[in-house]
Amino acid sequence: YINYSYLSTGHTKNGRAYAIRVNDTIIYGTHVPLNSKSRPTIREDYWDEIIDFYEEYKTNQIVLIGDFNTYDETSRAYVKYKKLLGKGALDLWLHQGKPNSTPTEVKYHNRLDYVFISPSVEENVVSMDIDANIMDKDKISDHAAVLLELK
């Protein structure tokens, strides 16, 4: 039995973000949508909500994980990614010295899936890996599995 409670994400769009508190750790999972003609800034709006959530809870042990749909360094979404890092969040994959070029999805072959942690989580990280073997295998997902083990 795992004791957990739900937290409000402040996220108001399509139930694409959920947060739970498990003991002393807050886990926030999301799928950030792409911009479209009908929603030209929705990706950046989601990023703003993620940054606000991180800012509110950053003194806690926090893990942000999911499909952030951001890789293009010239995009407005990438500016938001850098803003989150500027708030103190660590992009765990890069923080561990692993390459940004590691693909996590099939179509564009880019890293769209991330794990961000607050610095207080770092001492509890046992491992983080990206398992690309499931990408498009048996049509389970077009994304790799992002694996995080904490103490």
Side-chain angles (χ1 to χ4, degrees), residues 19-20 32 47 49 51 53 64 78 81-82 85 91 115 141-142 148 150:
I20 60 172
V32 175
W47 268 104
E49 292 173 4
I51 292 165
F53 185 90
L64 307 171
Y78 195 81
Y81 161 85
K82 296 299 275 184
L85 298 181
D91 177 338
V115 174
S141 177
D142 60 337
L148 175 64
L150 300 174

PDB file of all heavy atoms in Angstrom, residues 19-20 32 47 49 51 53 64 78 81-82 85 91 115 141-142 148 150:
ATOM      1  N   ALA A  19      -0.662  15.448 -10.518  1.00  0.00           N
ATOM      2  CA  ALA A  19       0.390  15.487  -9.510  1.00  0.00           C
ATOM      3  C   ALA A  19      -0.079  14.746  -8.267  1.00  0.00           C
ATOM      4  O   ALA A  19      -1.240  14.868  -7.864  1.00  0.00           O
ATOM      5  CB  ALA A  19       0.744  16.926  -9.157  1.00  0.00           C
ATOM      6  N   ILE A  20       0.850  13.986  -7.694  1.00  0.00           N
ATOM      7  CA  ILE A  20       0.583  13.302  -6.436  1.00  0.00           C
ATOM      8  C   ILE A  20       1.751  13.542  -5.489  1.00  0.00           C
ATOM      9  O   ILE A  20       2.883  13.788  -5.920  1.00  0.00           O
ATOM     10  CB  ILE A  20       0.352  11.790  -6.623  1.00  0.00           C
ATOM     11  CG1 ILE A  20       1.575  11.109  -7.243  1.00  0.00           C
ATOM     12  CG2 ILE A  20      -0.912  11.520  -7.409  1.00  0.00           C
ATOM     13  CD1 ILE A  20       1.488   9.591  -7.269  1.00  0.00           C
ATOM     14  N   VAL A  32       2.517  17.522 -22.809  1.00  0.00           N
ATOM     15  CA  VAL A  32       2.350  18.878 -23.332  1.00  0.00           C
ATOM     16  C   VAL A  32       1.967  18.785 -24.808  1.00  0.00           C
ATOM     17  O   VAL A  32       2.682  18.153 -25.592  1.00  0.00           O
ATOM     18  CB  VAL A  32       3.652  19.696 -23.160  1.00  0.00           C
ATOM     19  CG1 VAL A  32       3.529  21.066 -23.800  1.00  0.00           C
ATOM     20  CG2 VAL A  32       4.021  19.808 -21.684  1.00  0.00           C
ATOM     21  N   TRP A  47       3.632  25.059 -20.566  1.00  0.00           N
ATOM     22  CA  TRP A  47       4.927  25.286 -19.938  1.00  0.00           C
ATOM     23  C   TRP A  47       4.812  26.316 -18.815  1.00  0.00           C
ATOM     24  O   TRP A  47       5.415  26.154 -17.754  1.00  0.00           O
ATOM     25  CB  TRP A  47       5.962  25.735 -20.973  1.00  0.00           C
ATOM     26  CG  TRP A  47       6.732  24.603 -21.565  1.00  0.00           C
ATOM     27  CD1 TRP A  47       6.559  24.059 -22.801  1.00  0.00           C
ATOM     28  CD2 TRP A  47       7.804  23.880 -20.967  1.00  0.00           C
ATOM     29  NE1 TRP A  47       7.463  23.040 -23.001  1.00  0.00           N
ATOM     30  CE2 TRP A  47       8.241  22.916 -21.896  1.00  0.00           C
ATOM     31  CE3 TRP A  47       8.451  23.954 -19.736  1.00  0.00           C
ATOM     32  CZ2 TRP A  47       9.284  22.021 -21.622  1.00  0.00           C
ATOM     33  CZ3 TRP A  47       9.491  23.067 -19.468  1.00  0.00           C
ATOM     34  CH2 TRP A  47       9.893  22.122 -20.405  1.00  0.00           C
ATOM     35  N   GLU A  49       2.273  26.877 -16.922  1.00  0.00           N
ATOM     36  CA  GLU A  49       1.647  26.212 -15.784  1.00  0.00           C
ATOM     37  C   GLU A  49       2.629  25.285 -15.082  1.00  0.00           C
ATOM     38  O   GLU A  49       2.635  25.183 -13.851  1.00  0.00           O
ATOM     39  CB  GLU A  49       0.396  25.462 -16.232  1.00  0.00           C
ATOM     40  CG  GLU A  49      -0.710  26.415 -16.661  1.00  0.00           C
ATOM     41  CD  GLU A  49      -1.915  25.713 -17.263  1.00  0.00           C
ATOM     42  OE1 GLU A  49      -1.948  24.460 -17.293  1.00  0.00           O
ATOM     43  OE2 GLU A  49      -2.837  26.423 -17.706  1.00  0.00           O
ATOM     44  N   ILE A  51       5.924  25.650 -15.004  1.00  0.00           N
ATOM     45  CA  ILE A  51       6.871  26.520 -14.299  1.00  0.00           C
ATOM     46  C   ILE A  51       6.241  27.061 -13.028  1.00  0.00           C
ATOM     47  O   ILE A  51       6.885  27.089 -11.963  1.00  0.00           O
ATOM     48  CB  ILE A  51       7.365  27.650 -15.235  1.00  0.00           C
ATOM     49  CG1 ILE A  51       8.240  27.051 -16.343  1.00  0.00           C
ATOM     50  CG2 ILE A  51       8.106  28.724 -14.456  1.00  0.00           C
ATOM     51  CD1 ILE A  51       8.483  27.978 -17.513  1.00  0.00           C
ATOM     52  N   PHE A  53       3.878  25.655 -11.254  1.00  0.00           N
ATOM     53  CA  PHE A  53       3.787  24.533 -10.319  1.00  0.00           C
ATOM     54  C   PHE A  53       5.144  24.300  -9.658  1.00  0.00           C
ATOM     55  O   PHE A  53       5.238  24.147  -8.441  1.00  0.00           O
ATOM     56  CB  PHE A  53       3.311  23.265 -11.033  1.00  0.00           C
ATOM     57  CG  PHE A  53       3.079  22.109 -10.110  1.00  0.00           C
ATOM     58  CD1 PHE A  53       1.835  21.915  -9.526  1.00  0.00           C
ATOM     59  CD2 PHE A  53       4.093  21.208  -9.823  1.00  0.00           C
ATOM     60  CE1 PHE A  53       1.609  20.855  -8.668  1.00  0.00           C
ATOM     61  CE2 PHE A  53       3.884  20.143  -8.967  1.00  0.00           C
ATOM     62  CZ  PHE A  53       2.639  19.963  -8.389  1.00  0.00           C
ATOM     63  N   LEU A  64       9.258  16.129 -12.124  1.00  0.00           N
ATOM     64  CA  LEU A  64       8.392  16.430 -13.272  1.00  0.00           C
ATOM     65  C   LEU A  64       8.781  15.439 -14.360  1.00  0.00           C
ATOM     66  O   LEU A  64       9.957  15.353 -14.722  1.00  0.00           O
ATOM     67  CB  LEU A  64       8.612  17.854 -13.773  1.00  0.00           C
ATOM     68  CG  LEU A  64       8.519  18.984 -12.757  1.00  0.00           C
ATOM     69  CD1 LEU A  64       8.978  20.299 -13.383  1.00  0.00           C
ATOM     70  CD2 LEU A  64       7.114  19.113 -12.224  1.00  0.00           C
ATOM     71  N   TYR A  78      11.253  26.084 -26.078  1.00  0.00           N
ATOM     72  CA  TYR A  78      12.603  25.857 -25.557  1.00  0.00           C
ATOM     73  C   TYR A  78      13.013  26.990 -24.608  1.00  0.00           C
ATOM     74  O   TYR A  78      13.702  26.759 -23.629  1.00  0.00           O
ATOM     75  CB  TYR A  78      13.613  25.706 -26.688  1.00  0.00           C
ATOM     76  CG  TYR A  78      14.922  25.117 -26.230  1.00  0.00           C
ATOM     77  CD1 TYR A  78      15.055  23.744 -26.069  1.00  0.00           C
ATOM     78  CD2 TYR A  78      16.019  25.924 -25.942  1.00  0.00           C
ATOM     79  CE1 TYR A  78      16.248  23.189 -25.639  1.00  0.00           C
ATOM     80  CE2 TYR A  78      17.215  25.375 -25.512  1.00  0.00           C
ATOM     81  CZ  TYR A  78      17.321  24.005 -25.360  1.00  0.00           C
ATOM     82  OH  TYR A  78      18.496  23.459 -24.917  1.00  0.00           O
ATOM     83  N   TYR A  81      11.596  25.946 -21.423  1.00  0.00           N
ATOM     84  CA  TYR A  81      12.449  24.885 -20.875  1.00  0.00           C
ATOM     85  C   TYR A  81      13.635  25.511 -20.127  1.00  0.00           C
ATOM     86  O   TYR A  81      13.927  25.148 -18.987  1.00  0.00           O
ATOM     87  CB  TYR A  81      12.911  23.983 -22.019  1.00  0.00           C
ATOM     88  CG  TYR A  81      14.121  23.130 -21.742  1.00  0.00           C
ATOM     89  CD1 TYR A  81      14.003  21.900 -21.116  1.00  0.00           C
ATOM     90  CD2 TYR A  81      15.390  23.555 -22.131  1.00  0.00           C
ATOM     91  CE1 TYR A  81      15.126  21.105 -20.881  1.00  0.00           C
ATOM     92  CE2 TYR A  81      16.505  22.773 -21.900  1.00  0.00           C
ATOM     93  CZ  TYR A  81      16.376  21.547 -21.268  1.00  0.00           C
ATOM     94  OH  TYR A  81      17.484  20.776 -21.032  1.00  0.00           O
ATOM     95  N   LYS A  82      14.291  26.461 -20.766  1.00  0.00           N
ATOM     96  CA  LYS A  82      15.438  27.131 -20.144  1.00  0.00           C
ATOM     97  C   LYS A  82      15.003  27.918 -18.906  1.00  0.00           C
ATOM     98  O   LYS A  82      15.746  28.004 -17.923  1.00  0.00           O
ATOM     99  CB  LYS A  82      16.133  28.054 -21.149  1.00  0.00           C
ATOM    100  CG  LYS A  82      16.758  27.342 -22.332  1.00  0.00           C
ATOM    101  CD  LYS A  82      17.828  26.369 -21.929  1.00  0.00           C
ATOM    102  CE  LYS A  82      19.140  27.074 -21.765  1.00  0.00           C
ATOM    103  NZ  LYS A  82      20.246  26.180 -21.453  1.00  0.00           N
ATOM    104  N   LEU A  85      14.783  25.536 -16.015  1.00  0.00           N
ATOM    105  CA  LEU A  85      16.138  25.260 -15.519  1.00  0.00           C
ATOM    106  C   LEU A  85      16.669  26.442 -14.717  1.00  0.00           C
ATOM    107  O   LEU A  85      17.347  26.257 -13.700  1.00  0.00           O
ATOM    108  CB  LEU A  85      17.078  24.927 -16.678  1.00  0.00           C
ATOM    109  CG  LEU A  85      16.744  23.685 -17.504  1.00  0.00           C
ATOM    110  CD1 LEU A  85      17.785  23.488 -18.601  1.00  0.00           C
ATOM    111  CD2 LEU A  85      16.601  22.449 -16.645  1.00  0.00           C
ATOM    112  N   ASP A  91      17.505  19.024 -15.449  1.00  0.00           N
ATOM    113  CA  ASP A  91      17.162  18.073 -16.501  1.00  0.00           C
ATOM    114  C   ASP A  91      18.031  16.861 -16.195  1.00  0.00           C
ATOM    115  O   ASP A  91      19.236  16.852 -16.457  1.00  0.00           O
ATOM    116  CB  ASP A  91      17.481  18.678 -17.870  1.00  0.00           C
ATOM    117  CG  ASP A  91      17.222  17.740 -19.024  1.00  0.00           C
ATOM    118  OD1 ASP A  91      17.187  16.507 -18.828  1.00  0.00           O
ATOM    119  OD2 ASP A  91      17.074  18.240 -20.153  1.00  0.00           O
ATOM    120  N   VAL A 115      12.799  14.053 -17.551  1.00  0.00           N
ATOM    121  CA  VAL A 115      12.642  14.007 -16.100  1.00  0.00           C
ATOM    122  C   VAL A 115      13.368  15.234 -15.565  1.00  0.00           C
ATOM    123  O   VAL A 115      14.568  15.411 -15.798  1.00  0.00           O
ATOM    124  CB  VAL A 115      13.261  12.742 -15.470  1.00  0.00           C
ATOM    125  CG1 VAL A 115      13.211  12.819 -13.955  1.00  0.00           C
ATOM    126  CG2 VAL A 115      12.556  11.489 -15.963  1.00  0.00           C
ATOM    127  N   SER A 141       3.563   2.189 -28.056  1.00  0.00           N
ATOM    128  CA  SER A 141       3.776   3.630 -27.967  1.00  0.00           C
ATOM    129  C   SER A 141       4.779   4.056 -29.023  1.00  0.00           C
ATOM    130  O   SER A 141       5.660   3.289 -29.407  1.00  0.00           O
ATOM    131  CB  SER A 141       4.312   4.007 -26.580  1.00  0.00           C
ATOM    132  OG  SER A 141       4.570   5.401 -26.531  1.00  0.00           O
ATOM    133  N   ASP A 142       4.660   5.305 -29.457  1.00  0.00           N
ATOM    134  CA  ASP A 142       5.671   5.852 -30.357  1.00  0.00           C
ATOM    135  C   ASP A 142       6.776   6.536 -29.546  1.00  0.00           C
ATOM    136  O   ASP A 142       7.647   7.178 -30.105  1.00  0.00           O
ATOM    137  CB  ASP A 142       5.048   6.811 -31.368  1.00  0.00           C
ATOM    138  CG  ASP A 142       4.363   7.996 -30.726  1.00  0.00           C
ATOM    139  OD1 ASP A 142       3.970   7.911 -29.547  1.00  0.00           O
ATOM    140  OD2 ASP A 142       4.196   9.022 -31.409  1.00  0.00           O
ATOM    141  N   LEU A 148      12.761   5.966 -14.038  1.00  0.00           N
ATOM    142  CA  LEU A 148      13.383   6.651 -12.918  1.00  0.00           C
ATOM    143  C   LEU A 148      13.203   5.802 -11.677  1.00  0.00           C
ATOM    144  O   LEU A 148      12.090   5.395 -11.348  1.00  0.00           O
ATOM    145  CB  LEU A 148      12.729   8.022 -12.698  1.00  0.00           C
ATOM    146  CG  LEU A 148      13.206   8.806 -11.488  1.00  0.00           C
ATOM    147  CD1 LEU A 148      14.680   9.183 -11.607  1.00  0.00           C
ATOM    148  CD2 LEU A 148      12.345  10.037 -11.293  1.00  0.00           C
ATOM    149  N   LEU A 150      13.956   5.865  -7.602  1.00  0.00           N
ATOM    150  CA  LEU A 150      14.334   6.677  -6.434  1.00  0.00           C
ATOM    151  C   LEU A 150      14.443   5.793  -5.199  1.00  0.00           C
ATOM    152  O   LEU A 150      13.746   4.774  -5.104  1.00  0.00           O
ATOM    153  CB  LEU A 150      13.276   7.759  -6.175  1.00  0.00           C
ATOM    154  CG  LEU A 150      13.019   8.762  -7.304  1.00  0.00           C
ATOM    155  CD1 LEU A 150      11.843   9.654  -6.945  1.00  0.00           C
ATOM    156  CD2 LEU A 150      14.265   9.585  -7.576  1.00  0.00           C
TER     157      LEU A 150
END
